[in-house]
Amino acid sequence: MKTYRLNRLFNPKSHRCFDVAVDHGFFNELSFLQGIENLEKSVQTLIAAGPDAIQLTVGQAHLLAICFRPKQAGPGPPH
């Protein structure tokens, strides 16, 4: 891995990285999945907590990419 890519994981102020691994269920180990059955909700909770990184499998990242995109500004609710 290139150094500049690795450095993106670290907090620029603290020079530390708080990394949450959510990819353990990939190996079909059900004991790891208890409490994160709804992966989208779990990832939204993690995003709100603000870790420096969240590890997902390629498939999880593809399906949950919408969680990481900034919300688009759009018309407000009808009056």
Side-chain angles (χ1 to χ4, degrees):
M1 183 181 284
K2 301 281 186 188
T3 303
Y4 64 89
R5 289 185 66 203
L6 183 60
N7 285 338
R8 290 183 359 191
L9 292 175
F10 289 85
N11 183 299
K13 292 181 182 177
S14 68
H15 303 288
R16 295 180 178 187
C17 177
F18 178 51
D19 182 11
V20 181
V22 186
D23 56 350
H24 294 87
F26 175 71
F27 299 105
N28 211 15
E29 180 61 48
L30 297 178
S31 65
F32 285 125
L33 297 175
Q34 190 172 23
I36 61 169
E37 292 87 358
N38 183 337
L39 195 55
E40 183 175 353
K41 182 178 176 185
S42 298
V43 169
Q44 292 288 1
T45 301
L46 288 172
I47 291 169
D52 298 308
I54 299 173
Q55 291 181 43
L56 301 167
T57 65
V58 173
Q60 291 169 334
H62 176 74
L63 292 172
L64 298 168
I66 195 158
C67 296
F68 296 96
R69 294 187 185 124
K71 293 184 179 177
Q72 299 289 329
H79 297 299

